[in-house]
Amino acid sequence: MNSNSNYPADTPSPVLEVQEQRNLQQATIYRILLAVSFVHLFNDSIQALIPAMFPTLKDNLLLSFSQVGWIAFALNITSSVIQPVIGYAADRKPRPILLPLGMCCTFAGVFLLAFANNYALVIFSVMLVGFGSAAFHPEGMRVAHMAAGQRKGLSQSIFQVGGNAGQSLGPLLMKWVFIPFGQIGALGFTVFAAAGIAVQTYVARWYREMLNAGYTFRKKSSGGTIDPARRKSILLATVILVFIVFVRSWYGASIGGYYAFYLMDNYGMKLDDAQVYIFIYLAAGAVGTFFGGPLADRFGRRNLILISMVGTVPFALALPFVNHFWAAVLLVISGFVLLSSFSVTVIYAQMLYPGNIGTVSGLITGLAFGLGGIGSVVIGELIDRIGITTVFVACGFLPLLGLLALLLPGDKKLEQWAAE
């Protein structure tokens, strides 16, 4: 007798429901992956707009380096630190509507920023942009995971490269927009935000349809409890991973936020020429992000995280002492190497906590990156006190802290935990 014969003809059997669920989980939906990657590009290019505006805002509002650092902190604290909270809530009840609503918030922030004529309004504007980004990233990461099927590493590379490519646009925005047009040039980026709203509306509709069809991020519980020793190991690995991303973000803040000032002060370089060097670093980082997943598959996730941090050290230490040509070369190498672990740290964290995609993504790409915003404040304060050259020499030692990756569980152990 057929095992499904006890079910009415119009009622799906458990076997069919499991098969349909498996089909939903395994399909790779490239149109959705590309859509969220493009929105990631729109979102992060608008975020990159703010550090690109630092020289313009500094001159227009007569700001100190410390005040510039607080603008970066306001952006990072709102865009990043609340991401784990939003991710935690989304893991328990997905909210597709957050995708277009987040971009609406970003639209309002960038519009106000174009007309901000005092420091307080600048802070409020960048906080709106930050809130929009905080709403996008956890749900965007969940969409990328949902559309990935069996190709999780590839999906993370596609999703993250959009964001890092957007970040790399910041220096070009300075060169092509703010130097010719000034602060009002930010108004043009409302077009990016409007496009993001349209694409996110499409993605949110697909997201809702998948949820209604029965897609779930969580495995069925086996009813067992996690061994206390393993729980402790997972917690330790989480702390180490967050700290490594924090240090990586801190070093990135020194290059993205202040290296243009270093070039102008030490080489007499014009602002528009200095921005090209920042673009070189960030563009190389975007390429490194894309290749990081395949490299991790070949050499191991923990190994890549370790190599990306420690391998950056010699180039970071040499950077303050070389001429224009070698500075560009070192920025290409260090950008590629350092950010090759960008998507890998996210995948590693997701394997530590299977089923909690939003929470983990918010923790790694949100909280840890946001804590890096504290670095912007500290770096700005130190530059005011001891000078920009001394600070950049000191920052070259930061990636050495990546040696802590040696304490992370190896790939075999990680895969064993994720499978159980």
Side-chain angles (χ1 to χ4, degrees), residues 18-320:
V18 169
Q19 184 61 48
E20 288 173 2
Q21 181 62 231
R22 189 172 296 156
N23 291 339
L24 285 172
Q25 302 271 15
Q26 289 180 348
T28 302
I29 315 297
Y30 288 101
R31 73 178 190 279
I32 298 298
L33 286 175
L34 290 173
V36 293
S37 182
F38 274 114
V39 175
H40 204 180
L41 187 149
F42 296 153
N43 180 87
D44 284 26
S45 65
I46 292 173
Q47 276 195 271
L49 166 77
I50 293 166
M53 290 181 71
F54 283 171
T56 300
L57 293 172
K58 188 174 185 295
D59 290 342
N60 289 354
L61 303 179
L62 303 177
L63 304 178
S64 67
F65 281 109
S66 298
Q67 288 175 307
V68 169
W70 280 108
I71 295 173
F73 177 77
L75 174 67
N76 285 351
I77 207 73
T78 50
S79 69
S80 305
V81 172
I82 65 171
Q83 277 193 43
V85 178
I86 294 175
Y88 179 84
D91 282 336
R92 272 122 195 93
K93 184 177 180 181
R95 292 171 174 82
I97 191 63
L98 284 178
L99 293 171
L101 284 182
M103 289 304 297
C104 288
C105 193
T106 298
F107 181 98
V110 75
F111 181 85
L112 288 176
L113 188 60
F115 300 101
N117 58 3
N118 61 71
Y119 188 57
L121 187 55
V122 169
I123 293 291
F124 178 69
S125 300
V126 302
M127 288 178 69
L128 282 176
V129 173
F131 280 125
S133 181
F136 162 71
H137 278 95
E139 287 288 20
M141 194 82 70
R142 286 162 60 85
V143 168
H145 187 275
M146 179 184 283
Q150 297 300 303
R151 312 195 69 179
K152 305 301 183 187
L154 176 65
S155 76
Q156 278 302 315
S157 291
I158 292 174
F159 179 73
Q160 298 293 354
V161 77
N164 282 2
Q167 288 287 336
S168 72
L169 291 176
L172 298 184
L173 302 181
M174 185 70 237
K175 181 178 178 68
W176 294 337
V177 177
F178 297 115
I179 291 176
F181 300 105
Q183 189 174 336
I184 195 65
L187 193 62
F189 292 89
T190 57
V191 176
F192 284 9
I197 293 169
V199 176
Q200 290 290 61
T201 301
Y202 167 75
V203 172
R205 187 179 297 116
W206 175 85
Y207 187 2
R208 174 56 61 191
E209 289 172 355
M210 288 289 286
L211 293 173
N212 291 340
Y215 186 98
T216 179
F217 292 91
R218 292 180 174 273
K219 298 178 180 178
K220 288 189 176 181
S221 174
S222 62
T225 58
I226 297 178
D227 178 70
R230 187 203 297 184
R231 189 184 299 275
K232 184 177 179 180
S233 296
I234 290 174
L235 179 60
L236 177 62
T238 304
V239 172
I240 292 171
L241 200 63
V242 169
F243 183 75
I244 287 173
V245 177
F246 165 51
V247 171
R248 187 180 65 197
S249 300
W250 195 320
Y251 182 74
S254 73
I255 299 295
Y258 299 100
Y259 191 60
F261 295 111
Y262 176 84
L263 290 172
M264 290 187 289
D265 286 356
N266 287 270
Y267 296 98
M269 194 176 290
K270 294 181 180 178
L271 177 59
D272 55 344
D273 293 330
Q275 292 297 325
V276 173
Y277 284 74
I278 312 303
F279 169 74
I280 288 171
Y281 171 79
L282 295 174
V287 176
T289 297
F290 184 77
F291 285 101
L295 288 171
D297 290 339
R298 181 176 179 83
F299 299 107
R301 299 178 188 90
R302 184 183 66 175
N303 290 342
L304 187 74
I305 293 170
L306 175 66
I307 292 169
S308 74
M309 295 293 292
V310 178
T312 304
V313 174
F315 309 109
L317 289 176
L319 186 61

